[in-house]
Amino acid sequence: MKRNFELSEIREVAKELLEKAPNKVLCLYGDMGVGKTTLVKALVKELGAVDVASSPTFGLVNEYHDNKDTLIAYHFDFYRLNDEMEALDMGLEDYLNSGVWLFIEWPNKISSLLPEDAVGVFLHFVEESTRSIELNIS
């Protein structure tokens, strides 16, 4: 999957990404402000979450449930992480083994802890309201 899209098309991009991802660990790469959290909001909504996704920058992780209170996704933002030990201390291994969708922003902060089959999702600025997305499957 590689394409350009307008920000107004983010729901369609999220749906396509969920359909094409070979597993549930999505690592979102991109500059600050490119739309990683906006994409996660669309992904979580597409999965049927009852809550609106927000950036977990300060808490490091948010969890999302559907209308039956079933856990459907975790959203991580490791921007403020100082080292990989912090991720291990918060129980990252348990999250990785949870079997639910994992959306990880700033995965480069925990690169040696990521599963080999994690899917890289690369977002880039094209124009003010246009982005490019590329899926990198190992």
Side-chain angles (χ1 to χ4, degrees), residues 119-133:
V119 178
V121 179
F122 296 86
L123 294 167
H124 300 281
F125 289 103
V126 176
E127 293 178 359
E128 187 173 327
S129 65
T130 307
R131 304 292 187 265
S132 71
I133 186 169

